[in-house]
Amino acid sequence: MSETQTNIAARPWADKDATPFIRIKNVTKKFGEFVAVENVSLDIYRGELFCLLGGSGSGKSTLLRMMSGFETLTSGSIEIDGQDMAGVAPYDRQTNMMFQSYALFPHMSVEKNIAYGLKRERIAKAEIKQRVEEIISMVQLDQFATRMPHQLSGGQRQRVALARALVKKPKLLLLDEPMGALDKKLREETQFELINIQESLGVTFVVVTHDQEEAMTLSTRIGVMTDGEIVQVGEPREIYEYPRSRFVADFIGSVNMFEGQVKEDADDHVIISSPDAGADIYVAHGVSCTLGQKIAVAVRPEKIQLSKARPNNARNILKGKVDEIAYLGNLSVYQLLLETGKRVRVTQSNLSRVGDDAITYEDEVFMSWSGGAGVVLQS
Amino acid sequence: MSSPATPRKTKLPFGSFLERILSKLGLRGRTLVIAIPTLWLFVFFLVPFLVVAKISLSEAMIARPPYSSIWNWDDGVLNLTLNFGNYLFLLEDTLYFAAYMESVKIAFVSTVFALLIGFPMAYTIARSPDSRRNILLMLVILPFWTSFLLRVYAWIGFLKTNGLINAFLLATGIIDEPLIMLQTDFAVYVGIVYTYLPFMILPLYANLVKLDDALLEAASDLGAKPAMTFLTVTLPLAVPGIIAGSMLVFIPAIGEFVIPALLGGPDTLMIGSVLWNEFFSNRDWPVASAVALVMLAVLVVPIMILRKAQAASEGASQ
Amino acid sequence: MKNRSIFLPVVTGLGFLFLYAPIASLIVFSFNESKLVTVWGGFSTKWYGELLRDPQILGAAWISLKIAFLSATLAIIIGTVAAFALSRFPKFRTKSLLNWMITAPLVMPDVIIGLSLLLMFVAMQGLIGWPAGRGMTTIIIAHATFGAAYAAVVIQSRLVDMDMSIEEVALDLGAKPMRVFFDITLPVIAPALVSGWLLAFTLSLDDLVIASFVSGPGSSTLPMVIFSKVRLGVSPDVNALATIIILIISVGIIAAAIQISRSGKKLGN
Ligand SMILES: Nc1ncnc2c1ncn2[C@@H]1O[C@H](COP(=O)(O)OP(=O)(O)O)[C@@H](O)[C@H]1O
Ligand SMILES: [Mg+2]
């Protein structure tokens, strides 16, 4: 892994003494009887690009709107930069928000849209002009400065919305599905642009998204939300490699889940007897569990090797038949059928061109993975 | 940020100017926003009804204003003299009951005709191509913007004994004797249907335009004949529109005064005209007030039905 | 299938004929030489001349225009404020009362509105000495009240349709609520303000019944004068007047419709 991963200064969340920039403490939001956000506690650090990731209706936008002051908290507190934000109106907060719909003022040109927030600060005209020009060229909209919003493409509108929020030099920028309205290709380009802008300005970003790939690409850390709760917070790698629940494992990427019972519980490994797999599964790390406890093992599709011949020294070996193959160019996805009736998904990189010995439909093959590949999930 | 030492002149836009004044008065903008329309409507819409209710319980007098007071102070005791005589009078004199019945009958018949004419029109407009739809819709609304009084007046020229319709029918030999149409109930029906047709068409249109082509195709695909499709798919979906449109014709028709006054005959007795005469000719304010309150009572149920239908079609569109 | 395709256009065509034939006849016979409104006596514009020399009609028209202008302006202010309160404030104590009061005039018969307002004006004069008698002021108040109801409906539907996040974003950028209203909300709902104003204006110009109740000596409106004329039978100068009114209104409405659909496109609706 790269050095930045081990560098404490770039990972303040790994430092017990670091002061968080945003402290969300036991926040709950109810709409009538309905609980949209439930007892969320979360620390976000200065300079982070934090992603709130979750399905539709999981409460991401509501949490974001509480940070920007559009929703009041039912209980709990939010502190930004050491200040309790209760009772502070949106127009008095040094945070800015970029809306999912971009919410450009339809009756103002690009320039006027961007200058609107600065004019509210009673800044000298010349300075406003200069700052607007700077930000316009930063988001590459120079030729469009005098256009009206309805004369812009989706990508251009998104950049106006971003510029309008950034020109205020907020301490914190909140972005609700910033790429939600863009098509896939444009979205990928824009993701890197967004990271560059964030790094060069050093503003703390909190981004809401339902797209796990986007969250993985953008973020320093991800908070996974479901049903109004944050179920796991961590760096993208951590979330992917060490999901803490069946929900997270399943939500981020695809995964093979084998249900079973703890058969052997040692300090450095556990063995799970899994009727799903039709075999015992060896996991090379200790787990605090009891014998006989019901448990699941999650194995990512790319961590499984396929071979026609039985591998010699793998910890876990299963036998199955090829049911489906999807050729995706850089890799192929295999759907394998075990004797127990369970289906297993395996991806293999297409390192060389397809040869004669390639695995094909109906072949009997062996799946194997190392002891470190599987993750035990207790909930 | 400009430093406070060098105050710059900033032009105060209208918004913040108002804000300053308000904050000086210690008023929050929100309170004011609620208070302005609430107070206005309270004083000029709600209180007048209470005044009508009060006067309907007093006695007509030759005085200024021409009615008795229902309360007076006697040695610090408030005396309330309620006089239900006006309501008893409405019950005793069959003229009033007949006028209410006649109004309901005329409003009902007119509503049925407006529906029979309005439904095919609304259906056609809703089913026509986008480009033509807006023009047709505009054509429905346009007469509504031109003077109501003058449009009713135009029918006098049409319906008179020596009017255009008779001239046409006589010239083509369909009739030998001119028909007597003006100053009959028939003329009142024509006037009401004519005036309120847009009110029938618009809610019907709003419902029918949401009717998906695919739905009709699905129905006929499932073997429904056109008539069957109409009865089982189109009509049920249009019910909120039918109810709303009908009530929007029925309710104003009940209280109509101008149409019976211009087109109706001496025995077209509608309650709006009765109220008018009671007030302007007989100068009996208490009886006029009682007539108004009973008219309101007649309208309560239709108004509630209208509200429900409107809520239903709003709910369906979301 | 076959007969339905004939039936519908025929009924629709007849329906439009029914809507427009009376209006057309008004216009045609305004150019009739003969005083008999339904017999064609040759082309003439003499009724227009007669109309323009009729001080009673001209005076009433002037009064009506003044009343319509002032009451529509008042109506749009009250209607906008009411619509804003109802669509933007989550809840307040008098919300359902306000909602009821702003929609009730739409279904209330004119005779009741007219009578009740007059009785209240009389009672108020007895109590506090205002309004001193009936006249233009009382008509303006009456028309503003029911005009506000219509204006509020038009504006409220626009306010509800409008993307509310543009108001939130303005707050977020540091604008106080009242600024947001003047900078953002008002410009975006401007087309609805125009149609609401026009609606209140025409309704005022058109009203006979309410004005008859609350008017006083010397404040006869145009509809009141027309009504007293046509009660006695058809008169060609009324046709001439009708033609002028219809012409002005049609041009105004079509221009407004084009303007609104254009700015509607610009505002992304
Ligand atoms: N103003 C509101 N009133 C009532 N329910 C709301 C409101 N805003 C959001 N909700 C509900 O709260 C839940 C979470 O909404 P939201 O935070 O927008 O989800 P997400 O952004 O994750 O899709 C949803 O079920 C939504 O219906
Ligand atoms: Mg959302």
Side-chain angles (χ1 to χ4, degrees), chain B residues 242-314:
Chain B
I242 292 176
I243 295 175
S246 301
M247 291 303 122
L248 284 176
V249 176
F250 184 84
I251 293 167
I254 289 276
E256 190 49 63
F257 162 73
V258 175
I259 295 171
L262 289 183
L263 303 178
D267 40 292
T268 312
L269 203 58
M270 286 187 75
I271 200 66
S273 325
V274 169
L275 192 156
W276 181 282
N277 288 332
E278 226 33 270
F279 182 82
F280 285 103
S281 313
N282 300 348
R283 303 204 161 273
D284 192 335
W285 293 13
V287 167
S289 299
V291 170
L293 281 186
V294 176
M295 192 197 298
L296 261 189
V298 172
L299 288 178
V300 165
V301 172
I303 288 174
M304 272 165 28
I305 295 175
L306 173 66
R307 287 266 156 100
K308 250 188 141 165
Q310 284 172 333
S313 54
E314 254 166 45

Side-chain angles (χ1 to χ4, degrees), chain B residues 13-16 18-19 22 29-34 36-49 51-52 54-55 64-67 116-117 119-125 127 136-151 153-158 160 162-164 167 189-191 193-195 197-199 201 226 230 248 251-252 254-258 261-262 271-273 275-277 279-280 285 288-293 295-296 299 303 306-307, chain C residues 1 4 7-9 11-16 18-23 25-26 29 36-39 74 77-78 81-82 84-85 89-92 94 97-113 115-124 130 134 140-142 144-145 148 150 176-179 182-183 195 198-200 202-203 205-206 208-210 212-213 222-224 226-227 230-231 233-236 238-239 241-243 245-246 249-250 253-254 257:
Chain B
F14 189 48
S16 35
L18 256 179
E19 216 155 344
L22 289 180
R30 197 186 128 108
T31 316
L32 193 77
V33 166
I34 295 170
I36 291 175
T38 309
L39 280 180
W40 179 282
L41 289 164
F42 184 75
V43 173
F44 295 119
F45 187 73
L46 199 60
V47 171
F49 284 111
V51 175
V52 170
K54 185 196 127 195
I55 291 176
R64 287 192 72 139
Y67 52 86
L116 290 179
I117 300 171
F119 196 97
M121 289 182 76
Y123 187 84
T124 310
I125 297 171
R127 307 269 91 199
L136 289 177
L137 211 53
M138 175 118 171
L139 283 177
V140 171
I141 299 169
L142 204 57
F144 167 75
W145 289 84
T146 58
S147 170
F148 155 69
L149 184 59
L150 291 172
R151 282 182 298 134
Y153 159 73
W155 278 98
I156 299 179
F158 265 58
K160 277 198 315 184
N162 56 354
L164 282 175
Y189 294 143
V190 171
V193 172
Y194 173 69
T195 310
L197 192 57
F199 291 91
I201 294 178
F230 181 80
L248 284 176
I251 293 167
I254 289 276
E256 190 49 63
F257 162 73
V258 175
L262 289 183
I271 200 66
S273 325
L275 192 156
W276 181 282
N277 288 332
F279 182 82
F280 285 103
W285 293 13
S289 299
V291 170
L293 281 186
M295 192 197 298
L296 261 189
L299 288 178
I303 288 174
L306 173 66
R307 287 266 156 100
Chain C
M1 227 38 214
R4 199 183 75 177
F7 170 75
L8 281 176
V11 173
T12 307
L14 287 176
F16 278 114
F18 176 61
L19 283 179
Y20 281 92
I23 297 174
S25 82
L26 276 181
F29 284 98
L36 288 170
V37 175
T38 46
V39 180
L74 208 52
I77 294 172
I78 300 165
V81 175
F84 189 82
F89 297 160
K91 44 183 177 271
F92 50 93
T94 53
L97 175 71
L98 178 59
N99 189 35
W100 181 82
M101 289 195 301
I102 197 78
T103 49
L106 302 177
V107 288
M108 203 55 71
D110 290 349
V111 279
I112 298 185
I113 297 184
L115 176 72
S116 64
L117 265 172
L118 170 75
L119 295 184
M120 197 215 43
F121 285 139
V122 171
M124 263 175 96
W130 184 91
R134 262 79 55 206
I140 290 170
I141 290 174
T145 305
Y150 283 88
K176 301 232 171 74
M178 201 171 300
R179 268 224 81 103
F182 285 103
D183 283 359
S195 15
L198 282 174
L199 188 56
T202 3
L203 286 168
L205 214 49
D206 209 19
L208 164 70
V209 174
I210 297 174
S212 300
F213 277 98
L222 190 58
M224 290 163 71
I226 296 174
F227 185 66
V230 302
R231 246 195 156 167
V234 283
S235 77
V238 172
N239 283 30
L241 180 66
T243 306
I245 291 178
I246 289 167
I249 289 177
S250 308
I253 294 304
I254 291 168

Side-chain angles (χ1 to χ4, degrees), chain A residues 2 8 15 17 68 142 151 235 262 285 297 323 327 335-336 367:
Chain A
S2 66
I8 286 278
D15 177 0
D17 302 325
S68 53
D142 309 71
Q151 299 168 312
E235 292 168 42
V262 180
H285 60 80
V297 181
D323 193 37
Y327 177 74
Q335 182 96 252
L336 302 143
M367 289 149 261

Side-chain angles (χ1 to χ4, degrees), chain B residues 64-318:
Chain B
R64 287 192 72 139
Y67 52 86
S68 67
S69 173
I70 60 168
W71 50 60
N72 46 27
W73 288 93
D74 265 351
D75 304 327
V77 182
L78 181 68
N79 285 325
L80 210 57
T81 329
L82 295 186
N83 171 17
F84 291 94
N86 301 312
Y87 293 95
L88 288 177
F89 178 61
L90 294 191
L91 273 178
E92 276 162 18
D93 193 331
T94 50
L95 171 118
Y96 296 99
F97 185 71
Y100 281 112
M101 292 318 287
E102 176 94 350
S103 293
V104 171
K105 185 194 95 187
I106 288 180
F108 179 78
V109 173
S110 310
T111 304
V112 170
F113 277 104
L115 181 60
L116 290 179
I117 300 171
F119 196 97
M121 289 182 76
Y123 187 84
T124 310
I125 297 171
R127 307 269 91 199
S128 54
D130 279 355
S131 54
R132 212 182 315 151
R133 195 155 64 201
N134 283 334
I135 296 176
L136 289 177
L137 211 53
M138 175 118 171
L139 283 177
V140 171
I141 299 169
L142 204 57
F144 167 75
W145 289 84
T146 58
S147 170
F148 155 69
L149 184 59
L150 291 172
R151 282 182 298 134
V152 176
Y153 159 73
W155 278 98
I156 299 179
F158 265 58
L159 297 171
K160 277 198 315 184
T161 314
N162 56 354
L164 282 175
I165 292 179
N166 274 323
F168 174 77
L169 292 178
L170 286 170
T172 50
I174 296 175
I175 52 170
D176 309 321
E177 289 271 295
L179 298 172
I180 296 182
M181 292 177 289
L182 194 62
Q183 301 198 333
T184 64
D185 282 3
F186 171 75
V188 177
Y189 294 143
V190 171
I192 293 177
V193 172
Y194 173 69
T195 310
Y196 294 109
L197 192 57
F199 291 91
M200 178 62 90
I201 294 178
L202 291 180
L204 276 176
Y205 164 82
N207 255 253
L208 289 172
V209 77
K210 281 183 275 178
L211 189 67
D212 200 348
D213 271 330
L215 215 55
L216 299 181
E217 278 162 19
S220 64
D221 192 51
L222 294 171
K225 300 229 170 60
M228 199 62 187
T229 309
F230 181 80
L231 284 178
T232 55
V233 180
T234 313
L235 210 53
L237 281 169
V239 164
I242 292 176
I243 295 175
S246 301
M247 291 303 122
L248 284 176
V249 176
F250 184 84
I251 293 167
I254 289 276
E256 190 49 63
F257 162 73
V258 175
I259 295 171
L262 289 183
L263 303 178
D267 40 292
T268 312
L269 203 58
M270 286 187 75
I271 200 66
S273 325
V274 169
L275 192 156
W276 181 282
N277 288 332
E278 226 33 270
F279 182 82
F280 285 103
S281 313
N282 300 348
R283 303 204 161 273
D284 192 335
W285 293 13
V287 167
S289 299
V291 170
L293 281 186
V294 176
M295 192 197 298
L296 261 189
V298 172
L299 288 178
V300 165
V301 172
I303 288 174
M304 272 165 28
I305 295 175
L306 173 66
R307 287 266 156 100
K308 250 188 141 165
Q310 284 172 333
S313 54
E314 254 166 45
S317 70
Q318 274 159 13

Side-chain angles (χ1 to χ4, degrees), chain A residues 59-340:
Chain A
K60 311 174 299 277
S61 296
T62 306
L63 186 55
L64 203 69
R65 289 169 60 80
M66 288 192 283
M67 289 190 234
S68 53
F70 291 119
E71 305 284 358
T72 52
L73 319 193
T74 307
S75 64
S77 70
I78 296 179
E79 258 177 41
I80 298 177
D81 206 9
Q83 189 196 354
D84 186 352
M85 301 309 282
V88 182
Y91 47 84
D92 287 330
R93 295 189 180 206
Q94 289 183 37
T95 62
N96 283 116
M97 175 144 168
M98 189 180 139
F99 285 73
Q100 195 165 359
S101 62
Y102 307 146
L104 301 185
F105 305 133
H107 56 299
M108 295 185 195
S109 66
V110 169
E111 286 176 322
K112 293 234 169 77
N113 260 282
I114 296 175
Y116 187 82
L118 293 179
K119 286 187 189 151
R120 303 287 80 74
E121 291 179 26
R122 303 264 159 93
I123 294 174
K125 273 217 176 90
E127 192 192 335
I128 294 184
K129 191 161 176 281
Q130 186 207 339
R131 274 169 72 175
V132 169
E133 274 169 13
E134 269 171 27
I135 202 97
I136 283 184
S137 63
M138 182 170 136
V139 294
Q140 297 157 25
L141 284 169
D142 309 71
Q143 302 120 289
F144 305 100
T146 54
R147 292 239 185 130
M148 300 300 281
H150 73 279
Q151 299 168 312
L152 300 177
S153 71
Q156 290 163 344
R157 284 182 206 187
Q158 191 244 18
R159 278 181 279 154
V160 177
L162 184 63
R164 183 176 62 181
L166 282 174
V167 77
K168 299 257 299 178
K169 300 192 177 151
K171 288 199 244 177
L172 169 64
L173 186 64
L174 305 162
L175 304 96
D176 193 351
E177 308 263 4
M179 327 272 179
L182 305 182
D183 58 43
K184 190 167 160 49
K185 197 153 183 307
L186 194 56
R187 196 173 343 173
E188 282 166 6
E189 287 168 22
T190 316
Q191 284 166 3
F192 289 104
E193 244 172 72
L194 198 66
I195 296 178
N196 285 338
I197 289 174
Q198 194 261 342
E199 281 179 353
S200 67
L201 296 179
V203 180
T204 311
F205 275 31
V206 177
V207 179
V208 157
T209 179
H210 64 268
D211 178 345
Q212 45 118 348
E213 247 177 78
E214 183 169 293
M216 303 287 271
T217 314
L218 289 177
S219 55
T220 52
R221 284 191 306 153
I222 297 176
V224 183
M225 283 192 83
T226 180
D227 293 333
E229 290 180 274
I230 293 207
V231 286
Q232 188 170 358
V233 178
E235 292 168 42
R237 205 180 90 86
E238 198 181 331
I239 299 251
Y240 187 79
E241 301 288 354
Y242 303 104
R244 243 186 266 137
S245 60
R246 289 178 176 87
F247 173 81
V248 175
D250 208 33
F251 189 72
I252 315 274
S254 53
V255 75
N256 296 296
M257 208 88 77
F258 300 102
E259 304 286 338
Q261 282 183 319
V262 180
K263 187 175 167 188
E264 192 180 319
D265 179 15
D267 278 351
D268 63 341
H269 72 270
V270 280
I271 293 178
I272 289 124
S273 89
S274 166
D276 260 3
D280 288 353
I281 299 175
Y282 179 93
V283 179
H285 60 80
V287 178
S288 52
C289 55
T290 54
L291 277 184
Q293 185 186 343
K294 282 209 188 320
I295 227 166
V297 181
V299 187
R300 297 285 183 196
E302 74 279 6
K303 299 215 160 46
I304 304 179
Q305 268 77 51
L306 283 188
S307 57
K308 284 186 168 170
R310 190 178 181 91
N312 294 327
N313 48 10
R315 275 295 189 180
N316 299 292
I317 300 176
L318 299 176
K319 200 172 138 203
K321 208 165 69 178
V322 178
D323 193 37
E324 296 278 356
I325 307 176
Y327 177 74
L328 301 181
N330 55 344
L331 42 82
S332 293
V333 181
Y334 298 84
Q335 182 96 252
L336 302 143
L337 191 60
L338 303 186
E339 271 152 19
T340 60

